[in-house]
Amino acid sequence: MKSIKAVTLVGNPKIASRTLQVAEEVTGQVTGWLEPQGVEVANTTVDIAELGGGLLEWENKAVNDVLQRIAECNLLIAASPIYKASYTGVLKMLLDRIPMEGLSGRVAIPVMVAAAPIHMLAVETHFRPVLIELGACCPTRGLVVLESKLGELSDVVGKWLEAAKPMLAPLLVTRSS
Amino acid sequence: MKSIKAVTLVGNPKIASRTLQVAEEVTGQVTGWLEPQGVEVANTTVDIAELGGGLLEWENKAVNDVLQRIAECNLLIAASPIYKASYTGVLKMLLDRIPMEGLSGRVAIPVMVAAAPIHMLAVETHFRPVLIELGACCPTRGLVVLESKLGELSDVVGKWLEAAKPMLAPLLVTRSS
Amino acid sequence: MKSIKAVTLVGNPKIASRTLQVAEEVTGQVTGWLEPQGVEVANTTVDIAELGGGLLEWENKAVNDVLQRIAECNLLIAASPIYKASYTGVLKMLLDRIPMEGLSGRVAIPVMVAAAPIHMLAVETHFRPVLIELGACCPTRGLVVLESKLGELSDVVGKWLEAAKPMLAPLLVTRSS
Amino acid sequence: MKSIKAVTLVGNPKIASRTLQVAEEVTGQVTGWLEPQGVEVANTTVDIAELGGGLLEWENKAVNDVLQRIAECNLLIAASPIYKASYTGVLKMLLDRIPMEGLSGRVAIPVMVAAAPIHMLAVETHFRPVLIELGACCPTRGLVVLESKLGELSDVVGKWLEAAKPMLAPLLVTRSS
């Protein structure tokens, strides 16, 4: 049994948001798919809103712990609601603290929750470029879940994962073993 | 003498940053150009970093005051350093608090400070779209100042303003009178 | 009576497309709004598909005539269907022939026709930046018309124009007189 | 010995351009790295400019042959000079002809040649999103070569490939065997 470290990073200004729920569904399904293939996933979920004012300090233990987890991970599931047709400020505040090339060698999956379909391109035009700038490998299409589809969350994520598997498997299953 | 209200919004996580200096140079030059044409500019500069943890609260007097100033302004000079090839999280946190269409009818000028020329397109591909989403009118090219040119800041801003005047004059001089 | 020159540029690979119909509706409504204010609009509509293989030649009379019209215009209505989540290749081929800063001082309005709402952001993240790069002034929000709304085209364009008037009037009415 | 099919697609309006030279250097280095690992690369280079007016026809044998090659490939190296801060119209004309999801399951590498560093972000904000829209897997950072560095092309490509190998190897070496 091989093992990879994952971080599920949630950038909603509210604690315990629907964005958290969506991100955990993605992590759960990816984990459930990897484990039967002999890849154990040790995940840490970070609900950025819980960091509160610590986010604005230059040295803060909780923030530094999160950055350390990210530095050690193999897989980053990064999630944000769409605000003003882009990712949230609170997510970007955390991403701004990651050092240059700090996601180099990590597989990253951008996930967004959208109130309306007209903003869905944001995951490709705004969110993915930040992850790429940090050096991440984003082999799949970004996942955007419409709020109106949250009732069928498991199906929406499942359909996305089905299409993503051929790109994720070589990077997460083969490479890690 | 007619009068317009301006807000100079600075989204650098450090107080009293070079981004603040650049934004104030822009506001100063725009003001200096408008006043001889009979348009007085009443400016409020907001250094977002000074809001500290208040930024993360749902109800905070200082943040609400800033939002009120923005709601009342005619001209928004919004400035950010380029972090991870986009605007900062701290700037976006403040922008996320502006209501839908909250910049409708306002003229907005996106200003960025870049460590390297390779990120200069961020002002057009990431920053301007957020201002447009909020309903702003962005008639000019965005201004990006390279850190290496901060010694000639006045010239860099002056050159940008010269090209921007034909687009700004009808909206700020004629319309306000 | 003052007069401005407009070019309505249509980048659909098919001649006489619905994109042409949408673009002409925009030009028609802008013209109908400007004329009672004393601004006459002399418009040239260019259906790029009609240029055929001439588009690929370095020197072609029809293409050069189009470029000359663009060089002389005050207002450019540029329209494209959304293909692969962006503007079409045929539109970009024509835009690629415009010299650097060739739209400087011109007001430009990006217009797109979308099969689905999920691609609507393309007008702000891909199309507008090309016009800005060419030096254009894009004071309004881009207009995206869904194919499913073509039956109510006049209303869709009318609603967009209503919101755009406060930004267009100073640049087209006041400035031209 | 396993084998993969590659297409090197060059979107410069001039035949035999420097863009072609850059794209072939990328394909050459990727091939030279894969073959000692037991992966043979059968490459077809397509210089889109050679298609001439056929690009504008709905049914053209040469264009259809290119589309067939793309449909059968495992790896697409797609190259464009940066025109107006984005990819060229001639490249997009060819991409517009690929059916929906037509790059699904293929690894794609966006390559650009830039006259100036200020446009380098175009590869991530404009070019990659089109490839993703077509369903491609883009696991690496895009490669942008400055014209001023063409004299050291082999080194520039080599440095990019070194960083890209950990992302390409699982998808091209392991998966294909």
Side-chain angles (χ1 to χ4, degrees), chain D residues 25-46:
Chain D
E25 179 69 26
V26 174
T27 305
Q29 289 202 19
V30 170
T31 300
W33 162 67
L34 287 174
E35 295 200 338
Q37 300 179 74
V39 181
E40 200 175 39
V41 179
N43 176 64
T44 304
T45 294
V46 177

PDB file of all heavy atoms in Angstrom, chain D residues 25-46:
ATOM      1  N   GLU D  25      11.696  22.174 -32.272  1.00  0.00           N
ATOM      2  CA  GLU D  25      12.688  21.956 -31.208  1.00  0.00           C
ATOM      3  C   GLU D  25      12.017  21.271 -30.006  1.00  0.00           C
ATOM      4  O   GLU D  25      12.578  20.357 -29.405  1.00  0.00           O
ATOM      5  CB  GLU D  25      13.313  23.292 -30.784  1.00  0.00           C
ATOM      6  CG  GLU D  25      14.333  23.190 -29.666  1.00  0.00           C
ATOM      7  CD  GLU D  25      15.632  22.492 -30.089  1.00  0.00           C
ATOM      8  OE1 GLU D  25      15.969  22.526 -31.287  1.00  0.00           O
ATOM      9  OE2 GLU D  25      16.297  21.911 -29.195  1.00  0.00           O
ATOM     10  N   VAL D  26      10.807  21.725 -29.669  1.00  0.00           N
ATOM     11  CA  VAL D  26      10.091  21.095 -28.550  1.00  0.00           C
ATOM     12  C   VAL D  26       9.812  19.626 -28.873  1.00  0.00           C
ATOM     13  O   VAL D  26      10.129  18.728 -28.076  1.00  0.00           O
ATOM     14  CB  VAL D  26       8.761  21.838 -28.251  1.00  0.00           C
ATOM     15  CG1 VAL D  26       7.967  21.090 -27.181  1.00  0.00           C
ATOM     16  CG2 VAL D  26       9.036  23.275 -27.815  1.00  0.00           C
ATOM     17  N   THR D  27       9.269  19.388 -30.047  1.00  0.00           N
ATOM     18  CA  THR D  27       8.946  18.006 -30.429  1.00  0.00           C
ATOM     19  C   THR D  27      10.212  17.152 -30.471  1.00  0.00           C
ATOM     20  O   THR D  27      10.224  16.007 -30.004  1.00  0.00           O
ATOM     21  CB  THR D  27       8.246  17.994 -31.803  1.00  0.00           C
ATOM     22  OG1 THR D  27       7.108  18.853 -31.726  1.00  0.00           O
ATOM     23  CG2 THR D  27       7.787  16.595 -32.174  1.00  0.00           C
ATOM     24  N   GLY D  28      11.280  17.727 -31.005  1.00  0.00           N
ATOM     25  CA  GLY D  28      12.547  16.990 -31.086  1.00  0.00           C
ATOM     26  C   GLY D  28      13.075  16.612 -29.705  1.00  0.00           C
ATOM     27  O   GLY D  28      13.479  15.470 -29.470  1.00  0.00           O
ATOM     28  N   GLN D  29      13.033  17.562 -28.779  1.00  0.00           N
ATOM     29  CA  GLN D  29      13.563  17.266 -27.440  1.00  0.00           C
ATOM     30  C   GLN D  29      12.664  16.285 -26.691  1.00  0.00           C
ATOM     31  O   GLN D  29      13.158  15.425 -25.958  1.00  0.00           O
ATOM     32  CB  GLN D  29      13.745  18.554 -26.642  1.00  0.00           C
ATOM     33  CG  GLN D  29      14.907  19.402 -27.162  1.00  0.00           C
ATOM     34  CD  GLN D  29      15.444  20.376 -26.096  1.00  0.00           C
ATOM     35  OE1 GLN D  29      15.218  20.208 -24.902  1.00  0.00           O
ATOM     36  NE2 GLN D  29      16.152  21.398 -26.543  1.00  0.00           N
ATOM     37  N   VAL D  30      11.338  16.425 -26.848  1.00  0.00           N
ATOM     38  CA  VAL D  30      10.436  15.484 -26.176  1.00  0.00           C
ATOM     39  C   VAL D  30      10.673  14.076 -26.730  1.00  0.00           C
ATOM     40  O   VAL D  30      10.782  13.097 -25.979  1.00  0.00           O
ATOM     41  CB  VAL D  30       8.954  15.916 -26.345  1.00  0.00           C
ATOM     42  CG1 VAL D  30       8.011  14.810 -25.873  1.00  0.00           C
ATOM     43  CG2 VAL D  30       8.686  17.207 -25.567  1.00  0.00           C
ATOM     44  N   THR D  31      10.806  13.988 -28.054  1.00  0.00           N
ATOM     45  CA  THR D  31      11.064  12.696 -28.699  1.00  0.00           C
ATOM     46  C   THR D  31      12.393  12.099 -28.225  1.00  0.00           C
ATOM     47  O   THR D  31      12.477  10.914 -27.882  1.00  0.00           O
ATOM     48  CB  THR D  31      11.096  12.885 -30.232  1.00  0.00           C
ATOM     49  OG1 THR D  31       9.824  13.403 -30.638  1.00  0.00           O
ATOM     50  CG2 THR D  31      11.372  11.585 -30.949  1.00  0.00           C
ATOM     51  N   GLY D  32      13.405  12.931 -28.198  1.00  0.00           N
ATOM     52  CA  GLY D  32      14.732  12.469 -27.787  1.00  0.00           C
ATOM     53  C   GLY D  32      14.769  11.996 -26.342  1.00  0.00           C
ATOM     54  O   GLY D  32      15.596  11.152 -25.963  1.00  0.00           O
ATOM     55  N   TRP D  33      13.866  12.516 -25.548  1.00  0.00           N
ATOM     56  CA  TRP D  33      13.795  12.094 -24.141  1.00  0.00           C
ATOM     57  C   TRP D  33      12.958  10.817 -23.983  1.00  0.00           C
ATOM     58  O   TRP D  33      13.265   9.957 -23.147  1.00  0.00           O
ATOM     59  CB  TRP D  33      13.205  13.261 -23.318  1.00  0.00           C
ATOM     60  CG  TRP D  33      12.658  12.909 -21.971  1.00  0.00           C
ATOM     61  CD1 TRP D  33      13.359  12.475 -20.875  1.00  0.00           C
ATOM     62  CD2 TRP D  33      11.285  12.965 -21.550  1.00  0.00           C
ATOM     63  NE1 TRP D  33      12.512  12.262 -19.818  1.00  0.00           N
ATOM     64  CE2 TRP D  33      11.246  12.560 -20.203  1.00  0.00           C
ATOM     65  CE3 TRP D  33      10.103  13.336 -22.186  1.00  0.00           C
ATOM     66  CZ2 TRP D  33      10.049  12.504 -19.474  1.00  0.00           C
ATOM     67  CZ3 TRP D  33       8.918  13.291 -21.468  1.00  0.00           C
ATOM     68  CH2 TRP D  33       8.892  12.878 -20.135  1.00  0.00           C
ATOM     69  N   LEU D  34      11.912  10.686 -24.829  1.00  0.00           N
ATOM     70  CA  LEU D  34      11.013   9.529 -24.690  1.00  0.00           C
ATOM     71  C   LEU D  34      11.619   8.240 -25.253  1.00  0.00           C
ATOM     72  O   LEU D  34      11.414   7.156 -24.692  1.00  0.00           O
ATOM     73  CB  LEU D  34       9.675   9.811 -25.394  1.00  0.00           C
ATOM     74  CG  LEU D  34       8.730  10.794 -24.704  1.00  0.00           C
ATOM     75  CD1 LEU D  34       7.520  11.087 -25.592  1.00  0.00           C
ATOM     76  CD2 LEU D  34       8.260  10.245 -23.346  1.00  0.00           C
ATOM     77  N   GLU D  35      12.360   8.359 -26.356  1.00  0.00           N
ATOM     78  CA  GLU D  35      12.778   7.128 -27.038  1.00  0.00           C
ATOM     79  C   GLU D  35      13.682   6.235 -26.180  1.00  0.00           C
ATOM     80  O   GLU D  35      13.456   5.021 -26.141  1.00  0.00           O
ATOM     81  CB  GLU D  35      13.372   7.466 -28.406  1.00  0.00           C
ATOM     82  CG  GLU D  35      12.276   8.074 -29.296  1.00  0.00           C
ATOM     83  CD  GLU D  35      12.558   8.029 -30.784  1.00  0.00           C
ATOM     84  OE1 GLU D  35      13.746   7.910 -31.169  1.00  0.00           O
ATOM     85  OE2 GLU D  35      11.596   8.134 -31.574  1.00  0.00           O
ATOM     86  N   PRO D  36      14.653   6.776 -25.465  1.00  0.00           N
ATOM     87  CA  PRO D  36      15.474   5.893 -24.614  1.00  0.00           C
ATOM     88  C   PRO D  36      14.659   5.210 -23.510  1.00  0.00           C
ATOM     89  O   PRO D  36      15.125   4.268 -22.892  1.00  0.00           O
ATOM     90  CB  PRO D  36      16.507   6.850 -24.001  1.00  0.00           C
ATOM     91  CG  PRO D  36      16.488   8.068 -24.843  1.00  0.00           C
ATOM     92  CD  PRO D  36      15.125   8.162 -25.440  1.00  0.00           C
ATOM     93  N   GLN D  37      13.439   5.721 -23.272  1.00  0.00           N
ATOM     94  CA  GLN D  37      12.581   5.090 -22.273  1.00  0.00           C
ATOM     95  C   GLN D  37      11.622   4.095 -22.923  1.00  0.00           C
ATOM     96  O   GLN D  37      10.676   3.627 -22.292  1.00  0.00           O
ATOM     97  CB  GLN D  37      11.777   6.149 -21.529  1.00  0.00           C
ATOM     98  CG  GLN D  37      12.666   7.158 -20.800  1.00  0.00           C
ATOM     99  CD  GLN D  37      11.837   8.207 -20.109  1.00  0.00           C
ATOM    100  OE1 GLN D  37      11.209   7.945 -19.085  1.00  0.00           O
ATOM    101  NE2 GLN D  37      11.815   9.396 -20.686  1.00  0.00           N
ATOM    102  N   GLY D  38      11.856   3.823 -24.182  1.00  0.00           N
ATOM    103  CA  GLY D  38      11.056   2.799 -24.848  1.00  0.00           C
ATOM    104  C   GLY D  38       9.765   3.306 -25.473  1.00  0.00           C
ATOM    105  O   GLY D  38       8.860   2.530 -25.744  1.00  0.00           O
ATOM    106  N   VAL D  39       9.682   4.632 -25.685  1.00  0.00           N
ATOM    107  CA  VAL D  39       8.477   5.181 -26.316  1.00  0.00           C
ATOM    108  C   VAL D  39       8.863   5.862 -27.628  1.00  0.00           C
ATOM    109  O   VAL D  39       9.540   6.893 -27.630  1.00  0.00           O
ATOM    110  CB  VAL D  39       7.759   6.195 -25.394  1.00  0.00           C
ATOM    111  CG1 VAL D  39       6.502   6.725 -26.078  1.00  0.00           C
ATOM    112  CG2 VAL D  39       7.439   5.570 -24.050  1.00  0.00           C
ATOM    113  N   GLU D  40       8.434   5.278 -28.716  1.00  0.00           N
ATOM    114  CA  GLU D  40       8.719   5.824 -30.030  1.00  0.00           C
ATOM    115  C   GLU D  40       7.663   6.879 -30.358  1.00  0.00           C
ATOM    116  O   GLU D  40       6.485   6.685 -30.057  1.00  0.00           O
ATOM    117  CB  GLU D  40       8.611   4.669 -31.032  1.00  0.00           C
ATOM    118  CG  GLU D  40       9.308   4.910 -32.347  1.00  0.00           C
ATOM    119  CD  GLU D  40       9.223   3.626 -33.185  1.00  0.00           C
ATOM    120  OE1 GLU D  40       8.151   2.969 -33.138  1.00  0.00           O
ATOM    121  OE2 GLU D  40      10.206   3.302 -33.866  1.00  0.00           O
ATOM    122  N   VAL D  41       8.070   7.991 -30.981  1.00  0.00           N
ATOM    123  CA  VAL D  41       7.131   9.056 -31.314  1.00  0.00           C
ATOM    124  C   VAL D  41       7.017   9.187 -32.834  1.00  0.00           C
ATOM    125  O   VAL D  41       8.012   9.457 -33.512  1.00  0.00           O
ATOM    126  CB  VAL D  41       7.590  10.409 -30.716  1.00  0.00           C
ATOM    127  CG1 VAL D  41       6.607  11.511 -31.087  1.00  0.00           C
ATOM    128  CG2 VAL D  41       7.753  10.309 -29.205  1.00  0.00           C
ATOM    129  N   ALA D  42       5.826   8.968 -33.362  1.00  0.00           N
ATOM    130  CA  ALA D  42       5.585   9.182 -34.795  1.00  0.00           C
ATOM    131  C   ALA D  42       4.938  10.549 -34.937  1.00  0.00           C
ATOM    132  O   ALA D  42       3.766  10.729 -34.604  1.00  0.00           O
ATOM    133  CB  ALA D  42       4.670   8.088 -35.339  1.00  0.00           C
ATOM    134  N   ASN D  43       5.711  11.526 -35.401  1.00  0.00           N
ATOM    135  CA  ASN D  43       5.222  12.913 -35.439  1.00  0.00           C
ATOM    136  C   ASN D  43       4.812  13.358 -36.836  1.00  0.00           C
ATOM    137  O   ASN D  43       5.467  13.033 -37.823  1.00  0.00           O
ATOM    138  CB  ASN D  43       6.324  13.856 -34.930  1.00  0.00           C
ATOM    139  CG  ASN D  43       5.897  15.312 -35.034  1.00  0.00           C
ATOM    140  OD1 ASN D  43       4.945  15.719 -34.372  1.00  0.00           O
ATOM    141  ND2 ASN D  43       6.570  16.089 -35.878  1.00  0.00           N
ATOM    142  N   THR D  44       3.742  14.156 -36.884  1.00  0.00           N
ATOM    143  CA  THR D  44       3.358  14.861 -38.102  1.00  0.00           C
ATOM    144  C   THR D  44       3.404  16.346 -37.794  1.00  0.00           C
ATOM    145  O   THR D  44       2.738  16.802 -36.859  1.00  0.00           O
ATOM    146  CB  THR D  44       1.910  14.511 -38.506  1.00  0.00           C
ATOM    147  OG1 THR D  44       1.802  13.103 -38.633  1.00  0.00           O
ATOM    148  CG2 THR D  44       1.532  15.194 -39.806  1.00  0.00           C
ATOM    149  N   THR D  45       4.178  17.095 -38.549  1.00  0.00           N
ATOM    150  CA  THR D  45       4.202  18.540 -38.354  1.00  0.00           C
ATOM    151  C   THR D  45       3.257  19.196 -39.347  1.00  0.00           C
ATOM    152  O   THR D  45       3.293  18.887 -40.539  1.00  0.00           O
ATOM    153  CB  THR D  45       5.627  19.093 -38.523  1.00  0.00           C
ATOM    154  OG1 THR D  45       6.436  18.578 -37.465  1.00  0.00           O
ATOM    155  CG2 THR D  45       5.631  20.618 -38.453  1.00  0.00           C
ATOM    156  N   VAL D  46       2.394  20.083 -38.837  1.00  0.00           N
ATOM    157  CA  VAL D  46       1.432  20.791 -39.684  1.00  0.00           C
ATOM    158  C   VAL D  46       1.723  22.287 -39.610  1.00  0.00           C
ATOM    159  O   VAL D  46       1.567  22.898 -38.552  1.00  0.00           O
ATOM    160  CB  VAL D  46      -0.013  20.534 -39.209  1.00  0.00           C
ATOM    161  CG1 VAL D  46      -1.002  21.327 -40.058  1.00  0.00           C
ATOM    162  CG2 VAL D  46      -0.337  19.049 -39.215  1.00  0.00           C
TER     163      VAL D  46
END
